[in-house]
Amino acid sequence: RDSAAEAKAVLRTPAPVSMDAIVGQERAVGVLRNAIASERLHHAWIFHGPTGVGKFTAALAFAAVILDPTSAPEQTLMGAGEIAPDPASETQTLLRAGTHPDLHVIVKELARFSEESSVRASKLTTIPRDVIDKHLIRPARLAPVMGTDARASKVFVVDEAELMDRSASNAPVQNAILKTLEEPAPGTVIVLVTSSEDRLLPTIRSRCQRVGFGPLDEDAMRRWVSDANIDAADAELAWLIEHAEGSPGKLMRARETGLYEWHRTLSPLLDKADRGQLPLGLGATMGELVDGWAKSWVDAGSKAGENRSKEAANRAGAAQMFALVARRYRSQLREPRLTTPAVRAIDLVGRAERLLGSNVQLKLVMDDLAAGLSGRG
């Protein structure tokens, strides 16, 4: 079977948006527009910044322009404008369908389609060497399928690039792409998308053009929410925008995982903890919310034929819980009288994260956090 074709069909790449549709990242988009307009397009890029602020979206928009031979300055009443492709072109049609043969999107989920059983059974916490070999290094050596005279003939986008395994037992994964980054085939462009640039080897960072993406400001977030047509009550929407801290991706994850309901459930209990009381069931409630979310996530994976780890799900759910609680107390730092207890509460969340990272049972971690919050003052 053609596992690469199967993977592309199942893990369908989202249709790219236009560069104009990227909200709140004017500086980054300006850098990319200037690069597109230049005579020599750099072949290796790092798009770095917080999770969920549009890096991957920008990478696809960038690819859509540089892969399309119709990309040319738009004609406006003021003369020639920004370079953009013809929306009706063959390239854009293929990109919208997720079938462009020269756009290669590398994600950790490609491990599920590996010919190696050990890779297929992995918990998707890294991007293994097998995936990098099959979907980046080998295709980068091949001639492009379409062979156009566009600015780029092949584009590779590695999402969550920091997950390329650099453990002691598998250090060659990041090292393996160095030669490809240094001496790619003509017309090849590689974009590494990362929210943890420091986890990329210095030798990788030194070979790439870096583009920084930051959190969206409040006005940009509200524009993004308006464009996204999110169906939510005003109270929920206001809470989601504040919780997201400038990250549309974080807002969508909070919306999809019911984090607002967690907030409503926990707020009365945390109010009591703020008054120095130990609310009955606070620790248990936090643990039950995390456990219930983790079970649902694993069950959804099983129905989709995915091998999802309950341990990894618990950690992901706990991370959401810790972020929810920490955000509550970060908002209190603006009030001088609450600063000291808020800092202590944030420290307690950090302690809970370390305990869970040391394999302490989830229930005990949440009970300890609840006890600490009620007595922190």
Side-chain angles (χ1 to χ4, degrees), residues 332-342:
Q332 295 180 3
L333 294 173
R334 295 189 288 265
E335 299 186 40
R337 68 184 181 83
L338 297 177
T339 298
T340 298

Side-chain angles (χ1 to χ4, degrees), residues 308-360:
R308 292 183 176 179
S309 160
K310 179 60 162 60
E311 177 186 354
N314 276 339
R315 291 183 183 278
Q320 291 187 125
M321 179 61 70
F322 296 146
L324 177 68
V325 176
R327 194 202 66 79
R328 171 190 174 92
Y329 292 107
R330 282 200 304 276
S331 69
Q332 295 180 3
L333 294 173
R334 295 189 288 265
E335 299 186 40
R337 68 184 181 83
L338 297 177
T339 298
T340 298
V343 168
R344 290 175 181 158
I346 294 167
D347 286 343
L348 287 166
V349 174
R351 166 185 161 84
E353 290 175 324
R354 292 190 296 273
L355 287 173
L356 192 66
S358 300
N359 294 320
V360 178

